[in-house]
Amino acid sequence: HQWISESIQSVLGQSFDNWELIIVNDGSTDNSVEIIQTYLNDKRIKLLHQKNLGPANARNYGISKCNGEFIAFLDSDDIWLHEKLQIQLQFFESNPHIGLVYSNYNLFYDNPKLTLPLRQSNWFHTWPDNHRLLVYDFIGILTVVVRSSIIKKLGGFNENLFGTEDWDLWIKVAQFYKISKIEKVTASYRVHPDGLSQTAHNHFNQLKKVYDLHVFKKNVPKHIQCGAKAVFNFRLAKYNLFSNYSLIFIKFYFRATIFYFRAKINYLFKKNNEN
C-alpha cells in the first residue's frame, strides 16, 4: 500500500515511545506486507495475518493481541501527529475516571503537511456527549485512545456492521464510562477515492442499523430519538440535493426540520422537569 509507510513512520516518530504497534494484514493483495517487513527489526512492531474479513474483524484480532493498558487506532493511510500519544496519555494520568479520550483532527489529500481543519456539524451541542453520540458520530477513530480493559469487556467492534462499527462501540463505551475530548489536533485523515467507501444506499443502511440497535427503542428519551431522526433525514436531504432530486430533497428536509424542533422542545421539557 502506497501510504502505509507514512502511517508507520508517524508511530515511530511519537514523542512517547513505550508503545507496541500491531499491524493486521486483512488479506491485502498489494505490496503492503513487503513494506511492513522492512520495519519488523523494531521489536515493538508486530505483523499479523488473516484472510480478508473487514475492518471490524481485523481490529478485533489486533485488540486480542494487545498487551498495553491503552489502545489507539490508525488506519493504513492516516497519520498521527508527533505528540498524539503523549498528550492523550498525560490526560488519562490527570483524569483517571475517564474511559475514552478523543480529539480534533485535520484532513489532507496528497501532502500531510498541507492540512485543512475538519469542520464538523455542531448538532445539539448543548447536550451531554453520551446523548449526542446516539444522534450522530462525532468521534474520529484515528484520534481515540481508550482503556484496553474497557474495549475487551465490551467485546470489541460489532463485526455485523461496516463503516459504523466504531460509532457503535463509542456508544457502548459512553453508556458505562466517561468520555472526554481534548481540544487539540492529534492526527490527520487522508481523503482519497480509494478509501473504505460504500454506495449511499449501503451507508444509510449501516447508519440505520446503529440507530435500531441503540436509539429507536422504548426506553430511549424522546429528545434523542427525535434528534436521530432529524440528523438522518438531514443527511438524506443533503444526498438527494447533490443528486439533483429536488422534490425528494424537500421531503426529507421538511421531515428533518420537524424532528429537529421536536428534539429541541423535548430536551427543554426534560431539563425543566429535572429542575
mmCIF file of all heavy atoms in Angstrom, residues 20 22 60 62-73 89 92 98-101 144-157 169 173 177:
data_model
loop_
_atom_site.group_PDB
_atom_site.id
_atom_site.type_symbol
_atom_site.label_atom_id
_atom_site.label_comp_id
_atom_site.label_asym_id
_atom_site.label_seq_id
_atom_site.Cartn_x
_atom_site.Cartn_y
_atom_site.Cartn_z
ATOM 1 N N GLU A 20 3.441 -0.491 21.539
ATOM 2 C CA GLU A 20 3.559 -1.634 20.634
ATOM 3 C C GLU A 20 2.648 -1.350 19.442
ATOM 4 O O GLU A 20 1.531 -0.861 19.611
ATOM 5 C CB GLU A 20 3.166 -2.947 21.323
ATOM 6 C CG GLU A 20 1.741 -3.002 21.831
ATOM 7 C CD GLU A 20 1.332 -4.363 22.370
ATOM 8 O OE1 GLU A 20 2.097 -5.332 22.222
ATOM 9 O OE2 GLU A 20 0.232 -4.450 22.943
ATOM 10 N N ILE A 22 0.688 -3.063 16.515
ATOM 11 C CA ILE A 22 0.201 -4.335 15.983
ATOM 12 C C ILE A 22 -0.490 -4.055 14.654
ATOM 13 O O ILE A 22 -1.512 -3.360 14.606
ATOM 14 C CB ILE A 22 -0.757 -5.015 16.980
ATOM 15 C CG1 ILE A 22 0.018 -5.378 18.257
ATOM 16 C CG2 ILE A 22 -1.401 -6.249 16.361
ATOM 17 C CD1 ILE A 22 -0.831 -5.920 19.368
ATOM 18 N N ASN A 60 -10.538 -6.279 15.821
ATOM 19 C CA ASN A 60 -10.744 -7.181 16.954
ATOM 20 C C ASN A 60 -9.583 -8.164 17.095
ATOM 21 O O ASN A 60 -9.169 -8.500 18.214
ATOM 22 C CB ASN A 60 -12.063 -7.942 16.802
ATOM 23 C CG ASN A 60 -13.267 -7.074 17.115
ATOM 24 O OD1 ASN A 60 -13.147 -6.037 17.764
ATOM 25 N ND2 ASN A 60 -14.440 -7.491 16.655
ATOM 26 N N GLY A 62 -6.501 -7.592 16.194
ATOM 27 C CA GLY A 62 -5.403 -6.807 16.756
ATOM 28 C C GLY A 62 -5.576 -6.564 18.250
ATOM 29 O O GLY A 62 -4.626 -6.704 19.036
ATOM 30 N N ILE A 63 -6.806 -6.225 18.657
ATOM 31 C CA ILE A 63 -7.099 -5.976 20.072
ATOM 32 C C ILE A 63 -6.795 -7.215 20.915
ATOM 33 O O ILE A 63 -6.258 -7.122 22.021
ATOM 34 C CB ILE A 63 -8.576 -5.548 20.243
ATOM 35 C CG1 ILE A 63 -8.781 -4.130 19.686
ATOM 36 C CG2 ILE A 63 -9.015 -5.618 21.703
ATOM 37 C CD1 ILE A 63 -10.238 -3.749 19.485
ATOM 38 N N SER A 64 -7.129 -8.396 20.373
ATOM 39 C CA SER A 64 -6.919 -9.642 21.126
ATOM 40 C C SER A 64 -5.441 -9.892 21.407
ATOM 41 O O SER A 64 -5.100 -10.657 22.320
ATOM 42 C CB SER A 64 -7.520 -10.828 20.366
ATOM 43 O OG SER A 64 -6.725 -11.157 19.226
ATOM 44 N N LYS A 65 -4.564 -9.263 20.634
ATOM 45 C CA LYS A 65 -3.123 -9.465 20.802
ATOM 46 C C LYS A 65 -2.447 -8.310 21.545
ATOM 47 O O LYS A 65 -1.225 -8.315 21.729
ATOM 48 C CB LYS A 65 -2.446 -9.640 19.435
ATOM 49 C CG LYS A 65 -2.994 -10.808 18.614
ATOM 50 C CD LYS A 65 -2.787 -12.133 19.310
ATOM 51 C CE LYS A 65 -3.297 -13.298 18.459
ATOM 52 N NZ LYS A 65 -3.135 -14.595 19.159
ATOM 53 N N CYS A 66 -3.236 -7.316 21.951
ATOM 54 C CA CYS A 66 -2.668 -6.143 22.628
ATOM 55 C C CYS A 66 -2.303 -6.465 24.069
ATOM 56 O O CYS A 66 -3.046 -7.138 24.780
ATOM 57 C CB CYS A 66 -3.677 -4.994 22.630
ATOM 58 S SG CYS A 66 -3.831 -4.170 21.042
ATOM 59 N N ASN A 67 -1.173 -5.938 24.518
ATOM 60 C CA ASN A 67 -0.716 -6.126 25.894
ATOM 61 C C ASN A 67 -0.792 -4.850 26.719
ATOM 62 O O ASN A 67 -0.679 -4.900 27.947
ATOM 63 C CB ASN A 67 0.741 -6.624 25.898
ATOM 64 C CG ASN A 67 0.873 -7.962 25.197
ATOM 65 O OD1 ASN A 67 0.174 -8.911 25.529
ATOM 66 N ND2 ASN A 67 1.745 -8.030 24.198
ATOM 67 N N GLY A 68 -0.961 -3.708 26.073
ATOM 68 C CA GLY A 68 -0.894 -2.427 26.772
ATOM 69 C C GLY A 68 -2.160 -2.089 27.548
ATOM 70 O O GLY A 68 -3.221 -2.692 27.366
ATOM 71 N N GLU A 69 -2.042 -1.075 28.395
ATOM 72 C CA GLU A 69 -3.175 -0.596 29.196
ATOM 73 C C GLU A 69 -4.144 0.221 28.340
ATOM 74 O O GLU A 69 -5.326 0.318 28.651
ATOM 75 C CB GLU A 69 -2.641 0.253 30.357
ATOM 76 C CG GLU A 69 -3.714 0.727 31.319
ATOM 77 C CD GLU A 69 -3.162 1.618 32.424
ATOM 78 O OE1 GLU A 69 -1.925 1.758 32.542
ATOM 79 O OE2 GLU A 69 -3.986 2.187 33.174
ATOM 80 N N PHE A 70 -3.630 0.805 27.263
ATOM 81 C CA PHE A 70 -4.441 1.651 26.385
ATOM 82 C C PHE A 70 -4.336 1.169 24.945
ATOM 83 O O PHE A 70 -3.332 0.572 24.553
ATOM 84 C CB PHE A 70 -3.984 3.111 26.473
ATOM 85 C CG PHE A 70 -4.097 3.702 27.846
ATOM 86 C CD1 PHE A 70 -3.009 3.698 28.710
ATOM 87 C CD2 PHE A 70 -5.290 4.257 28.291
ATOM 88 C CE1 PHE A 70 -3.101 4.235 29.987
ATOM 89 C CE2 PHE A 70 -5.399 4.789 29.565
ATOM 90 C CZ PHE A 70 -4.307 4.784 30.411
ATOM 91 N N ILE A 71 -5.385 1.462 24.181
ATOM 92 C CA ILE A 71 -5.402 1.114 22.758
ATOM 93 C C ILE A 71 -5.728 2.361 21.953
ATOM 94 O O ILE A 71 -6.624 3.138 22.312
ATOM 95 C CB ILE A 71 -6.440 0.009 22.464
ATOM 96 C CG1 ILE A 71 -6.030 -1.308 23.136
ATOM 97 C CG2 ILE A 71 -6.603 -0.213 20.969
ATOM 98 C CD1 ILE A 71 -7.035 -2.435 22.980
ATOM 99 N N ALA A 72 -5.017 2.548 20.852
ATOM 100 C CA ALA A 72 -5.298 3.614 19.887
ATOM 101 C C ALA A 72 -5.391 2.968 18.512
ATOM 102 O O ALA A 72 -4.943 1.831 18.312
ATOM 103 C CB ALA A 72 -4.204 4.675 19.925
ATOM 104 N N PHE A 73 -5.979 3.679 17.564
ATOM 105 C CA PHE A 73 -6.242 3.105 16.244
ATOM 106 C C PHE A 73 -5.670 3.992 15.149
ATOM 107 O O PHE A 73 -5.743 5.221 15.217
ATOM 108 C CB PHE A 73 -7.760 2.948 16.025
ATOM 109 C CG PHE A 73 -8.432 2.140 17.101
ATOM 110 C CD1 PHE A 73 -9.009 2.768 18.194
ATOM 111 C CD2 PHE A 73 -8.473 0.753 17.039
ATOM 112 C CE1 PHE A 73 -9.619 2.034 19.204
ATOM 113 C CE2 PHE A 73 -9.073 0.009 18.036
ATOM 114 C CZ PHE A 73 -9.649 0.649 19.121
ATOM 115 N N LEU A 89 -2.150 10.394 26.806
ATOM 116 C CA LEU A 89 -1.820 9.586 27.979
ATOM 117 C C LEU A 89 -1.608 10.469 29.212
ATOM 118 O O LEU A 89 -1.965 10.073 30.334
ATOM 119 C CB LEU A 89 -0.594 8.716 27.707
ATOM 120 C CG LEU A 89 -0.825 7.616 26.664
ATOM 121 C CD1 LEU A 89 0.473 6.899 26.327
ATOM 122 C CD2 LEU A 89 -1.873 6.605 27.135
ATOM 123 N N PHE A 92 -5.018 11.103 30.549
ATOM 124 C CA PHE A 92 -5.502 9.969 31.343
ATOM 125 C C PHE A 92 -4.905 9.985 32.754
ATOM 126 O O PHE A 92 -5.590 9.689 33.736
ATOM 127 C CB PHE A 92 -5.159 8.640 30.660
ATOM 128 C CG PHE A 92 -6.180 8.183 29.657
ATOM 129 C CD1 PHE A 92 -5.880 8.155 28.301
ATOM 130 C CD2 PHE A 92 -7.436 7.764 30.060
ATOM 131 C CE1 PHE A 92 -6.820 7.716 27.370
ATOM 132 C CE2 PHE A 92 -8.382 7.332 29.142
ATOM 133 C CZ PHE A 92 -8.072 7.305 27.790
ATOM 134 N N ILE A 98 -11.701 8.792 33.471
ATOM 135 C CA ILE A 98 -12.089 8.824 32.059
ATOM 136 C C ILE A 98 -11.794 7.470 31.413
ATOM 137 O O ILE A 98 -10.755 6.868 31.649
ATOM 138 C CB ILE A 98 -11.340 9.946 31.305
ATOM 139 C CG1 ILE A 98 -11.702 11.325 31.885
ATOM 140 C CG2 ILE A 98 -11.637 9.906 29.812
ATOM 141 C CD1 ILE A 98 -13.134 11.752 31.670
ATOM 142 N N GLY A 99 -12.725 7.003 30.556
ATOM 143 C CA GLY A 99 -12.540 5.722 29.874
ATOM 144 C C GLY A 99 -12.027 5.849 28.458
ATOM 145 O O GLY A 99 -11.314 4.984 27.964
ATOM 146 N N LEU A 100 -12.404 6.957 27.784
ATOM 147 C CA LEU A 100 -12.025 7.159 26.373
ATOM 148 C C LEU A 100 -11.752 8.632 26.138
ATOM 149 O O LEU A 100 -12.502 9.497 26.611
ATOM 150 C CB LEU A 100 -13.145 6.669 25.457
ATOM 151 C CG LEU A 100 -12.974 6.811 23.937
ATOM 152 C CD1 LEU A 100 -13.722 5.689 23.201
ATOM 153 C CD2 LEU A 100 -13.457 8.162 23.398
ATOM 154 N N VAL A 101 -10.699 8.914 25.401
ATOM 155 C CA VAL A 101 -10.336 10.287 25.043
ATOM 156 C C VAL A 101 -10.244 10.392 23.526
ATOM 157 O O VAL A 101 -9.681 9.510 22.867
ATOM 158 C CB VAL A 101 -8.978 10.686 25.677
ATOM 159 C CG1 VAL A 101 -8.511 12.032 25.145
ATOM 160 C CG2 VAL A 101 -9.102 10.747 27.191
ATOM 161 N N VAL A 144 -8.801 8.399 18.757
ATOM 162 C CA VAL A 144 -9.230 7.757 20.001
ATOM 163 C C VAL A 144 -8.071 7.079 20.729
ATOM 164 O O VAL A 144 -7.236 6.413 20.116
ATOM 165 C CB VAL A 144 -10.338 6.708 19.710
ATOM 166 C CG1 VAL A 144 -10.557 5.776 20.908
ATOM 167 C CG2 VAL A 144 -11.643 7.405 19.337
ATOM 168 N N VAL A 145 -8.039 7.268 22.052
ATOM 169 C CA VAL A 145 -7.261 6.406 22.946
ATOM 170 C C VAL A 145 -8.243 5.937 24.012
ATOM 171 O O VAL A 145 -8.965 6.737 24.606
ATOM 172 C CB VAL A 145 -6.070 7.134 23.601
ATOM 173 C CG1 VAL A 145 -5.320 6.185 24.541
ATOM 174 C CG2 VAL A 145 -5.113 7.675 22.546
ATOM 175 N N VAL A 146 -8.298 4.630 24.245
ATOM 176 C CA VAL A 146 -9.288 4.046 25.150
ATOM 177 C C VAL A 146 -8.612 2.983 26.006
ATOM 178 O O VAL A 146 -7.630 2.361 25.582
ATOM 179 C CB VAL A 146 -10.472 3.453 24.338
ATOM 180 C CG1 VAL A 146 -10.003 2.376 23.389
ATOM 181 C CG2 VAL A 146 -11.589 2.948 25.239
ATOM 182 N N ARG A 147 -9.107 2.817 27.206
ATOM 183 C CA ARG A 147 -8.547 1.780 28.075
ATOM 184 C C ARG A 147 -8.829 0.402 27.458
ATOM 185 O O ARG A 147 -9.975 0.089 27.124
ATOM 186 C CB ARG A 147 -9.153 1.875 29.477
ATOM 187 C CG ARG A 147 -8.810 3.183 30.178
ATOM 188 C CD ARG A 147 -9.309 3.219 31.607
ATOM 189 N NE ARG A 147 -9.153 4.558 32.154
ATOM 190 C CZ ARG A 147 -8.026 5.042 32.676
ATOM 191 N NH1 ARG A 147 -6.951 4.271 32.738
ATOM 192 N NH2 ARG A 147 -7.965 6.273 33.135
ATOM 193 N N SER A 148 -7.806 -0.413 27.333
ATOM 194 C CA SER A 148 -7.970 -1.710 26.667
ATOM 195 C C SER A 148 -8.924 -2.618 27.441
ATOM 196 O O SER A 148 -9.662 -3.407 26.847
ATOM 197 C CB SER A 148 -6.621 -2.396 26.464
ATOM 198 O OG SER A 148 -5.946 -2.525 27.695
ATOM 199 N N SER A 149 -8.945 -2.492 28.768
ATOM 200 C CA SER A 149 -9.842 -3.327 29.579
ATOM 201 C C SER A 149 -11.305 -3.059 29.228
ATOM 202 O O SER A 149 -12.135 -3.974 29.238
ATOM 203 C CB SER A 149 -9.613 -3.054 31.067
ATOM 204 O OG SER A 149 -9.830 -1.675 31.365
ATOM 205 N N ILE A 150 -11.616 -1.804 28.888
ATOM 206 C CA ILE A 150 -12.994 -1.435 28.539
ATOM 207 C C ILE A 150 -13.392 -2.066 27.212
ATOM 208 O O ILE A 150 -14.465 -2.675 27.089
ATOM 209 C CB ILE A 150 -13.138 0.109 28.478
ATOM 210 C CG1 ILE A 150 -13.027 0.698 29.887
ATOM 211 C CG2 ILE A 150 -14.449 0.511 27.817
ATOM 212 C CD1 ILE A 150 -13.030 2.225 29.927
ATOM 213 N N ILE A 151 -12.534 -1.936 26.213
ATOM 214 C CA ILE A 151 -12.855 -2.489 24.891
ATOM 215 C C ILE A 151 -13.017 -4.002 24.958
ATOM 216 O O ILE A 151 -13.933 -4.569 24.362
ATOM 217 C CB ILE A 151 -11.765 -2.119 23.865
ATOM 218 C CG1 ILE A 151 -11.877 -0.644 23.532
ATOM 219 C CG2 ILE A 151 -11.875 -2.963 22.621
ATOM 220 C CD1 ILE A 151 -11.492 -0.281 22.138
ATOM 221 N N LYS A 152 -12.125 -4.649 25.694
ATOM 222 C CA LYS A 152 -12.202 -6.109 25.801
ATOM 223 C C LYS A 152 -13.457 -6.531 26.570
ATOM 224 O O LYS A 152 -14.108 -7.518 26.218
ATOM 225 C CB LYS A 152 -10.931 -6.651 26.440
ATOM 226 C CG LYS A 152 -9.718 -6.531 25.509
ATOM 227 C CD LYS A 152 -8.406 -6.922 26.176
ATOM 228 C CE LYS A 152 -7.235 -6.753 25.206
ATOM 229 N NZ LYS A 152 -5.938 -7.063 25.818
ATOM 230 N N LYS A 153 -13.805 -5.767 27.595
ATOM 231 C CA LYS A 153 -15.005 -6.074 28.387
ATOM 232 C C LYS A 153 -16.269 -5.940 27.540
ATOM 233 O O LYS A 153 -17.221 -6.710 27.689
ATOM 234 C CB LYS A 153 -15.073 -5.131 29.592
ATOM 235 C CG LYS A 153 -16.185 -5.447 30.570
ATOM 236 C CD LYS A 153 -16.108 -4.528 31.786
ATOM 237 C CE LYS A 153 -17.216 -4.829 32.771
ATOM 238 N NZ LYS A 153 -17.151 -3.937 33.966
ATOM 239 N N LEU A 154 -16.284 -4.961 26.628
ATOM 240 C CA LEU A 154 -17.462 -4.711 25.787
ATOM 241 C C LEU A 154 -17.491 -5.582 24.529
ATOM 242 O O LEU A 154 -18.425 -5.495 23.741
ATOM 243 C CB LEU A 154 -17.521 -3.228 25.395
ATOM 244 C CG LEU A 154 -17.794 -2.247 26.544
ATOM 245 C CD1 LEU A 154 -17.662 -0.809 26.064
ATOM 246 C CD2 LEU A 154 -19.175 -2.478 27.149
ATOM 247 N N GLY A 155 -16.459 -6.411 24.345
ATOM 248 C CA GLY A 155 -16.465 -7.353 23.224
ATOM 249 C C GLY A 155 -15.950 -6.794 21.913
ATOM 250 O O GLY A 155 -16.135 -7.409 20.856
ATOM 251 N N GLY A 156 -15.313 -5.609 21.960
ATOM 252 C CA GLY A 156 -14.722 -5.053 20.745
ATOM 253 C C GLY A 156 -15.755 -4.530 19.762
ATOM 254 O O GLY A 156 -16.869 -4.147 20.128
ATOM 255 N N PHE A 157 -15.384 -4.544 18.493
ATOM 256 C CA PHE A 157 -16.225 -3.991 17.429
ATOM 257 C C PHE A 157 -17.266 -5.009 16.963
ATOM 258 O O PHE A 157 -16.983 -6.209 16.903
ATOM 259 C CB PHE A 157 -15.362 -3.563 16.239
ATOM 260 C CG PHE A 157 -14.451 -2.407 16.528
ATOM 261 C CD1 PHE A 157 -13.149 -2.631 16.961
ATOM 262 C CD2 PHE A 157 -14.889 -1.097 16.375
ATOM 263 C CE1 PHE A 157 -12.299 -1.561 17.239
ATOM 264 C CE2 PHE A 157 -14.048 -0.024 16.644
ATOM 265 C CZ PHE A 157 -12.755 -0.253 17.077
ATOM 266 N N LEU A 169 -19.352 1.181 18.857
ATOM 267 C CA LEU A 169 -18.528 0.899 20.031
ATOM 268 C C LEU A 169 -18.430 2.124 20.937
ATOM 269 O O LEU A 169 -18.497 1.997 22.167
ATOM 270 C CB LEU A 169 -17.136 0.434 19.601
ATOM 271 C CG LEU A 169 -16.191 0.034 20.736
ATOM 272 C CD1 LEU A 169 -16.801 -1.036 21.641
ATOM 273 C CD2 LEU A 169 -14.858 -0.454 20.180
ATOM 274 N N VAL A 173 -19.308 2.368 24.909
ATOM 275 C CA VAL A 173 -18.368 2.873 25.917
ATOM 276 C C VAL A 173 -19.020 3.994 26.726
ATOM 277 O O VAL A 173 -18.961 4.007 27.964
ATOM 278 C CB VAL A 173 -17.064 3.376 25.258
ATOM 279 C CG1 VAL A 173 -16.181 4.088 26.284
ATOM 280 C CG2 VAL A 173 -16.294 2.229 24.613
ATOM 281 N N TYR A 177 -19.031 4.462 30.738
ATOM 282 C CA TYR A 177 -17.814 5.153 31.160
ATOM 283 C C TYR A 177 -17.837 6.603 30.672
ATOM 284 O O TYR A 177 -18.548 6.939 29.738
ATOM 285 C CB TYR A 177 -16.575 4.442 30.590
ATOM 286 C CG TYR A 177 -16.515 2.978 30.932
ATOM 287 C CD1 TYR A 177 -17.033 2.019 30.047
ATOM 288 C CD2 TYR A 177 -15.955 2.543 32.136
ATOM 289 C CE1 TYR A 177 -16.992 0.665 30.370
ATOM 290 C CE2 TYR A 177 -15.909 1.190 32.449
ATOM 291 C CZ TYR A 177 -16.440 0.258 31.561
ATOM 292 O OH TYR A 177 -16.399 -1.075 31.880
#
